Short mmCIF file of all heavy atoms in Angstrom, two decimals:
data_model
loop_
_atom_site.label_atom_id
_atom_site.label_comp_id
_atom_site.label_asym_id
_atom_site.label_seq_id
_atom_site.Cartn_x
_atom_site.Cartn_y
_atom_site.Cartn_z
N VAL A 11 -3.69 -30.95 -0.01
CA VAL A 11 -4.52 -29.73 0.14
C VAL A 11 -3.48 -28.56 0.58
O VAL A 11 -2.70 -28.80 1.53
CB VAL A 11 -5.62 -29.88 1.16
CG1 VAL A 11 -6.39 -28.66 1.32
CG2 VAL A 11 -6.52 -31.11 0.76
N GLU A 12 -3.61 -27.46 -0.09
CA GLU A 12 -2.82 -26.37 0.28
C GLU A 12 -3.17 -25.75 1.61
O GLU A 12 -4.41 -25.59 1.79
CB GLU A 12 -2.96 -25.22 -0.81
CG GLU A 12 -2.30 -25.62 -2.17
CD GLU A 12 -2.47 -24.64 -3.21
OE1 GLU A 12 -2.80 -23.43 -3.00
OE2 GLU A 12 -2.02 -24.91 -4.37
N GLN A 13 -2.30 -25.43 2.39
CA GLN A 13 -2.47 -24.93 3.79
C GLN A 13 -1.63 -23.66 4.01
O GLN A 13 -0.38 -23.78 3.94
CB GLN A 13 -2.13 -25.98 4.87
CG GLN A 13 -3.04 -27.17 4.75
CD GLN A 13 -4.43 -27.03 5.16
OE1 GLN A 13 -4.78 -26.17 5.95
NE2 GLN A 13 -5.31 -27.98 4.65
N GLU A 14 -2.17 -22.57 4.37
CA GLU A 14 -1.52 -21.38 4.60
C GLU A 14 -0.43 -21.55 5.80
O GLU A 14 0.82 -21.12 5.73
CB GLU A 14 -2.49 -20.22 4.98
CG GLU A 14 -1.77 -18.89 5.23
CD GLU A 14 -2.71 -17.85 5.52
OE1 GLU A 14 -3.77 -18.00 6.16
OE2 GLU A 14 -2.43 -16.66 5.27
N SER A 15 -0.79 -22.24 6.80
CA SER A 15 0.09 -22.49 7.93
C SER A 15 1.38 -23.19 7.51
O SER A 15 2.40 -22.90 8.04
CB SER A 15 -0.72 -23.31 8.99
OG SER A 15 -1.04 -24.54 8.57
N ILE A 16 1.22 -24.09 6.58
CA ILE A 16 2.42 -24.82 6.06
C ILE A 16 3.36 -23.76 5.40
O ILE A 16 4.67 -23.80 5.60
CB ILE A 16 2.16 -25.99 5.08
CG1 ILE A 16 1.29 -27.11 5.81
CG2 ILE A 16 3.40 -26.58 4.46
CD1 ILE A 16 0.79 -28.07 4.97
N GLY A 17 2.80 -22.83 4.59
CA GLY A 17 3.63 -21.80 3.98
C GLY A 17 4.29 -20.83 5.11
O GLY A 17 5.48 -20.49 4.81
N VAL A 18 3.58 -20.51 6.03
CA VAL A 18 4.14 -19.71 7.10
C VAL A 18 5.24 -20.36 7.80
O VAL A 18 6.35 -19.74 7.97
CB VAL A 18 2.99 -19.31 8.05
CG1 VAL A 18 3.56 -18.62 9.35
CG2 VAL A 18 1.92 -18.40 7.46
N ASP A 19 5.10 -21.62 8.15
CA ASP A 19 6.16 -22.50 8.79
C ASP A 19 7.30 -22.50 7.88
O ASP A 19 8.49 -22.33 8.28
CB ASP A 19 5.68 -23.75 9.21
CG ASP A 19 4.65 -23.74 10.28
OD1 ASP A 19 4.61 -22.70 11.05
OD2 ASP A 19 3.99 -24.80 10.43
N PHE A 20 7.15 -22.72 6.58
CA PHE A 20 8.22 -22.86 5.62
C PHE A 20 9.08 -21.57 5.57
O PHE A 20 10.34 -21.60 5.61
CB PHE A 20 7.62 -23.21 4.21
CG PHE A 20 8.66 -23.12 3.20
CD1 PHE A 20 9.60 -24.14 3.04
CD2 PHE A 20 8.83 -21.96 2.30
CE1 PHE A 20 10.59 -23.99 1.89
CE2 PHE A 20 9.72 -21.82 1.34
CZ PHE A 20 10.57 -22.92 1.13
N LEU A 21 8.41 -20.48 5.53
CA LEU A 21 9.06 -19.06 5.37
C LEU A 21 9.79 -18.87 6.72
O LEU A 21 10.94 -18.31 6.74
CB LEU A 21 8.12 -18.06 4.99
CG LEU A 21 7.65 -18.10 3.58
CD1 LEU A 21 6.42 -17.20 3.41
CD2 LEU A 21 8.77 -17.66 2.69
N ASN A 22 9.22 -19.06 7.81
CA ASN A 22 9.89 -18.86 9.14
C ASN A 22 11.01 -19.74 9.37
O ASN A 22 12.11 -19.33 9.89
CB ASN A 22 8.89 -18.99 10.28
CG ASN A 22 8.13 -17.62 10.46
OD1 ASN A 22 8.61 -16.57 10.19
ND2 ASN A 22 6.88 -17.77 10.90
N ASN A 23 11.04 -20.99 8.79
CA ASN A 23 12.11 -21.86 8.89
C ASN A 23 13.18 -21.44 7.97
O ASN A 23 14.38 -21.43 8.32
CB ASN A 23 11.76 -23.33 8.57
CG ASN A 23 10.96 -23.99 9.78
OD1 ASN A 23 11.16 -23.60 10.94
ND2 ASN A 23 10.09 -24.84 9.37
N LEU A 24 12.86 -21.05 6.72
CA LEU A 24 13.76 -20.60 5.76
C LEU A 24 14.61 -19.32 6.15
O LEU A 24 15.79 -19.30 6.05
CB LEU A 24 13.00 -20.27 4.35
CG LEU A 24 13.83 -19.67 3.26
CD1 LEU A 24 14.78 -20.82 2.59
CD2 LEU A 24 12.88 -19.21 2.20
N PHE A 25 13.73 -18.36 6.76
CA PHE A 25 14.50 -17.11 7.18
C PHE A 25 14.93 -17.26 8.65
O PHE A 25 15.44 -16.22 9.25
CB PHE A 25 13.51 -16.00 6.91
CG PHE A 25 13.32 -15.65 5.57
CD1 PHE A 25 12.05 -15.85 4.90
CD2 PHE A 25 14.31 -15.39 4.68
CE1 PHE A 25 11.80 -15.68 3.71
CE2 PHE A 25 14.14 -15.12 3.32
CZ PHE A 25 12.88 -15.27 2.81
N LYS A 26 14.65 -18.27 9.35
CA LYS A 26 15.02 -18.39 10.86
C LYS A 26 14.37 -17.30 11.66
O LYS A 26 15.17 -16.64 12.42
CB LYS A 26 16.53 -18.58 10.98
CG LYS A 26 17.07 -19.79 10.08
CD LYS A 26 18.41 -20.21 10.67
CE LYS A 26 19.03 -21.23 9.73
NZ LYS A 26 18.15 -22.13 9.02
N THR A 27 13.11 -17.09 11.42
CA THR A 27 12.39 -16.02 12.18
C THR A 27 11.00 -16.56 12.74
O THR A 27 10.77 -17.76 12.44
CB THR A 27 12.00 -14.89 11.17
OG1 THR A 27 11.15 -15.37 10.25
CG2 THR A 27 13.27 -14.22 10.53
N SER A 28 10.32 -15.72 13.33
CA SER A 28 8.97 -16.09 13.74
C SER A 28 8.01 -14.85 13.39
O SER A 28 7.25 -14.47 14.11
CB SER A 28 8.87 -16.41 15.26
OG SER A 28 9.43 -15.13 15.96
N ASP A 29 8.20 -14.48 12.10
CA ASP A 29 7.43 -13.43 11.57
C ASP A 29 6.05 -13.72 11.35
O ASP A 29 5.60 -14.89 11.24
CB ASP A 29 8.07 -12.86 10.17
CG ASP A 29 9.51 -12.31 10.51
OD1 ASP A 29 9.61 -11.58 11.44
OD2 ASP A 29 10.25 -12.48 9.62
N VAL A 30 5.08 -12.68 11.16
CA VAL A 30 3.75 -12.89 10.81
C VAL A 30 3.69 -12.88 9.30
O VAL A 30 4.19 -11.97 8.60
CB VAL A 30 2.82 -11.79 11.34
CG1 VAL A 30 1.46 -11.91 10.93
CG2 VAL A 30 2.93 -11.83 12.95
N TRP A 31 3.19 -13.90 8.69
CA TRP A 31 2.97 -14.02 7.21
C TRP A 31 1.54 -14.32 7.00
O TRP A 31 0.89 -14.94 7.67
CB TRP A 31 3.83 -15.20 6.70
CG TRP A 31 5.19 -15.01 6.81
CD1 TRP A 31 6.00 -15.39 7.91
CD2 TRP A 31 6.17 -14.42 5.91
NE1 TRP A 31 7.33 -15.15 7.70
CE2 TRP A 31 7.41 -14.56 6.48
CE3 TRP A 31 6.00 -13.97 4.64
CZ2 TRP A 31 8.62 -14.12 5.85
CZ3 TRP A 31 7.10 -13.39 4.03
CH2 TRP A 31 8.40 -13.49 4.63
N LYS A 32 0.96 -13.64 5.83
CA LYS A 32 -0.34 -13.88 5.43
C LYS A 32 -0.29 -14.16 3.92
O LYS A 32 0.38 -13.54 3.25
CB LYS A 32 -1.26 -12.74 5.68
CG LYS A 32 -1.55 -12.49 7.07
CD LYS A 32 -2.37 -13.46 7.81
CE LYS A 32 -2.56 -13.26 9.32
NZ LYS A 32 -3.32 -14.26 9.88
N GLN A 33 -1.00 -15.27 3.47
CA GLN A 33 -1.10 -15.56 2.06
C GLN A 33 -1.88 -14.52 1.36
O GLN A 33 -2.82 -13.95 1.89
CB GLN A 33 -1.73 -16.93 1.86
CG GLN A 33 -1.52 -17.47 0.50
CD GLN A 33 -1.90 -18.91 0.30
OE1 GLN A 33 -2.35 -19.60 1.23
NE2 GLN A 33 -1.83 -19.35 -0.86
N THR A 34 -1.38 -14.08 0.28
CA THR A 34 -2.04 -13.17 -0.62
C THR A 34 -2.39 -13.66 -2.03
O THR A 34 -1.64 -14.50 -2.49
CB THR A 34 -1.26 -11.78 -0.67
OG1 THR A 34 -1.96 -10.77 -1.33
CG2 THR A 34 0.17 -12.00 -1.30
N SER A 35 -3.39 -13.30 -2.61
CA SER A 35 -3.88 -13.95 -3.80
C SER A 35 -3.43 -12.93 -5.02
O SER A 35 -3.96 -11.87 -5.13
CB SER A 35 -5.32 -14.01 -3.89
OG SER A 35 -5.70 -14.43 -5.12
N TYR A 36 -2.50 -13.54 -5.87
CA TYR A 36 -2.15 -12.75 -7.04
C TYR A 36 -3.27 -12.45 -8.03
O TYR A 36 -3.38 -11.44 -8.70
CB TYR A 36 -1.18 -13.63 -7.87
CG TYR A 36 -0.44 -12.86 -8.99
CD1 TYR A 36 0.61 -11.92 -8.56
CD2 TYR A 36 -0.70 -13.02 -10.29
CE1 TYR A 36 1.23 -11.25 -9.50
CE2 TYR A 36 -0.03 -12.27 -11.26
CZ TYR A 36 0.91 -11.33 -10.86
OH TYR A 36 1.56 -10.66 -11.81
N ASN A 37 -4.41 -13.26 -7.93
CA ASN A 37 -5.59 -13.07 -8.70
C ASN A 37 -6.85 -12.38 -7.98
O ASN A 37 -7.95 -12.32 -8.42
CB ASN A 37 -6.09 -14.37 -9.26
CG ASN A 37 -5.13 -15.07 -10.22
OD1 ASN A 37 -4.53 -14.32 -11.07
ND2 ASN A 37 -4.95 -16.32 -10.00
N ASN A 38 -6.44 -11.87 -6.78
CA ASN A 38 -7.46 -11.30 -5.87
C ASN A 38 -8.53 -12.16 -5.47
O ASN A 38 -9.68 -11.64 -5.30
CB ASN A 38 -7.99 -9.92 -6.55
CG ASN A 38 -6.87 -8.95 -7.00
OD1 ASN A 38 -5.76 -8.88 -6.37
ND2 ASN A 38 -7.03 -8.25 -8.08
N ASN A 39 -8.36 -13.35 -5.30
CA ASN A 39 -9.39 -14.39 -4.97
C ASN A 39 -9.82 -14.34 -3.49
O ASN A 39 -10.78 -14.76 -3.15
CB ASN A 39 -9.04 -15.71 -5.41
CG ASN A 39 -8.94 -15.86 -6.92
OD1 ASN A 39 -9.64 -15.24 -7.62
ND2 ASN A 39 -8.07 -16.80 -7.33
N PHE A 40 -8.89 -13.77 -2.65
CA PHE A 40 -9.21 -13.62 -1.21
C PHE A 40 -8.36 -12.54 -0.62
O PHE A 40 -7.34 -11.97 -1.25
CB PHE A 40 -8.95 -14.94 -0.45
CG PHE A 40 -7.53 -15.60 -0.73
CD1 PHE A 40 -6.53 -15.14 0.17
CD2 PHE A 40 -7.28 -16.43 -1.70
CE1 PHE A 40 -5.25 -15.69 0.09
CE2 PHE A 40 -5.94 -16.95 -1.82
CZ PHE A 40 -4.95 -16.63 -0.94
N ARG A 41 -8.76 -12.10 0.55
CA ARG A 41 -8.17 -11.01 1.21
C ARG A 41 -8.16 -9.73 0.32
O ARG A 41 -7.11 -8.97 0.35
CB ARG A 41 -6.76 -11.34 1.72
CG ARG A 41 -6.79 -12.51 2.76
CD ARG A 41 -5.58 -12.51 3.64
NE ARG A 41 -5.82 -13.41 4.81
CZ ARG A 41 -5.16 -14.59 5.03
NH1 ARG A 41 -4.13 -14.89 4.20
NH2 ARG A 41 -5.45 -15.22 5.99
N LYS A 42 -9.21 -9.51 -0.40
CA LYS A 42 -9.43 -8.30 -1.24
C LYS A 42 -8.53 -8.23 -2.42
O LYS A 42 -9.02 -8.13 -3.52
CB LYS A 42 -9.44 -6.99 -0.43
CG LYS A 42 -9.84 -5.82 -1.21
CD LYS A 42 -10.21 -4.64 -0.54
CE LYS A 42 -10.50 -3.43 -1.28
NZ LYS A 42 -11.55 -3.67 -2.29
N GLN A 43 -7.23 -8.18 -2.19
CA GLN A 43 -6.27 -7.83 -3.27
C GLN A 43 -5.01 -8.38 -3.03
O GLN A 43 -4.55 -8.67 -1.82
CB GLN A 43 -6.30 -6.35 -3.63
CG GLN A 43 -5.88 -5.55 -2.45
CD GLN A 43 -6.32 -4.15 -2.58
OE1 GLN A 43 -6.56 -3.59 -3.72
NE2 GLN A 43 -6.40 -3.38 -1.46
N TYR A 44 -4.12 -8.45 -4.05
CA TYR A 44 -2.77 -8.87 -3.87
C TYR A 44 -2.02 -7.81 -3.05
O TYR A 44 -2.10 -6.58 -3.41
CB TYR A 44 -2.13 -9.01 -5.31
CG TYR A 44 -0.79 -9.54 -5.24
CD1 TYR A 44 -0.34 -10.94 -4.96
CD2 TYR A 44 0.32 -8.60 -5.68
CE1 TYR A 44 0.96 -11.31 -4.88
CE2 TYR A 44 1.65 -9.14 -5.56
CZ TYR A 44 1.91 -10.36 -5.20
OH TYR A 44 3.21 -10.83 -5.19
N ALA A 45 -1.32 -8.15 -2.09
CA ALA A 45 -0.55 -7.33 -1.28
C ALA A 45 0.81 -7.02 -1.88
O ALA A 45 1.44 -7.86 -2.50
CB ALA A 45 -0.38 -7.86 0.17
N GLY A 46 1.27 -5.78 -1.60
CA GLY A 46 2.55 -5.34 -1.88
C GLY A 46 3.19 -4.62 -0.81
O GLY A 46 2.39 -4.19 0.15
N PRO A 47 4.48 -4.33 -0.87
CA PRO A 47 5.02 -3.56 0.18
C PRO A 47 4.30 -2.23 0.35
O PRO A 47 4.01 -1.53 -0.58
CB PRO A 47 6.47 -3.25 -0.28
CG PRO A 47 6.76 -4.51 -1.13
CD PRO A 47 5.43 -4.73 -1.77
N GLY A 48 4.08 -1.87 1.67
CA GLY A 48 3.34 -0.59 2.00
C GLY A 48 1.79 -0.85 2.12
O GLY A 48 1.14 0.11 2.58
N TYR A 49 1.34 -1.99 1.73
CA TYR A 49 -0.09 -2.23 1.95
C TYR A 49 -0.23 -2.46 3.48
O TYR A 49 0.73 -2.84 4.08
CB TYR A 49 -0.50 -3.43 1.16
CG TYR A 49 -0.87 -3.24 -0.24
CD1 TYR A 49 0.05 -2.63 -1.24
CD2 TYR A 49 -2.12 -3.52 -0.77
CE1 TYR A 49 -0.28 -2.49 -2.46
CE2 TYR A 49 -2.45 -3.35 -2.11
CZ TYR A 49 -1.39 -2.73 -2.93
OH TYR A 49 -1.78 -2.46 -4.26
N THR A 50 -1.59 -2.37 3.94
CA THR A 50 -1.79 -2.67 5.30
C THR A 50 -2.64 -3.93 5.36
O THR A 50 -3.59 -4.12 4.58
CB THR A 50 -2.71 -1.50 5.85
OG1 THR A 50 -1.84 -0.26 5.82
CG2 THR A 50 -2.98 -1.69 7.36
N TYR A 51 -2.44 -4.80 6.39
CA TYR A 51 -3.25 -5.95 6.63
C TYR A 51 -4.15 -5.62 7.71
O TYR A 51 -3.78 -5.20 8.82
CB TYR A 51 -2.43 -7.21 6.96
CG TYR A 51 -3.31 -8.36 7.34
CD1 TYR A 51 -4.07 -8.99 6.40
CD2 TYR A 51 -3.37 -8.82 8.63
CE1 TYR A 51 -4.82 -10.04 6.68
CE2 TYR A 51 -4.11 -9.85 8.95
CZ TYR A 51 -4.87 -10.49 8.09
OH TYR A 51 -5.77 -11.47 8.25
N ASP A 52 -5.49 -5.64 7.43
CA ASP A 52 -6.56 -5.44 8.47
C ASP A 52 -6.92 -6.70 9.03
O ASP A 52 -7.52 -7.61 8.35
CB ASP A 52 -7.68 -4.69 7.80
CG ASP A 52 -8.76 -4.28 8.79
OD1 ASP A 52 -9.18 -5.16 9.70
OD2 ASP A 52 -9.26 -3.15 8.75
N GLU A 53 -6.50 -7.03 10.27
CA GLU A 53 -6.65 -8.31 10.83
C GLU A 53 -8.20 -8.56 11.11
O GLU A 53 -8.64 -9.65 10.99
CB GLU A 53 -5.90 -8.41 12.25
CG GLU A 53 -5.83 -9.84 12.68
CD GLU A 53 -4.94 -9.91 13.94
OE1 GLU A 53 -4.07 -8.97 14.12
OE2 GLU A 53 -4.91 -10.94 14.59
#
């Protein structure tokens, strides 16, 4: 089962950071629309 938290951990391990990551849907299936640089995430 796909888990967003696993992706966040993977990216933070890859980049050796503790950044905030949110999964975005290329098909706009969740979180309204696909995010790009300059978009705002409304928590």
Side-chain angles (χ1 to χ4, degrees):
V11 178
E12 293 180 8
Q13 301 288 337
E14 180 178 31
S15 61
I16 296 173
V18 170
D19 291 343
F20 170 80
L21 288 165
N22 279 327
N23 287 331
L24 178 68
F25 294 116
K26 304 198 181 338
T27 62
S28 57
D29 293 322
V30 175
W31 297 89
K32 294 291 178 182
Q33 191 170 357
T34 184
S35 171
Y36 193 76
N37 298 318
N38 304 329
N39 292 330
F40 56 89
R41 295 197 170 121
K42 182 164 176 57
Q43 58 201 337
Y44 182 75
Y49 279 58
T50 301
Y51 174 69
D52 185 314
E53 191 169 349

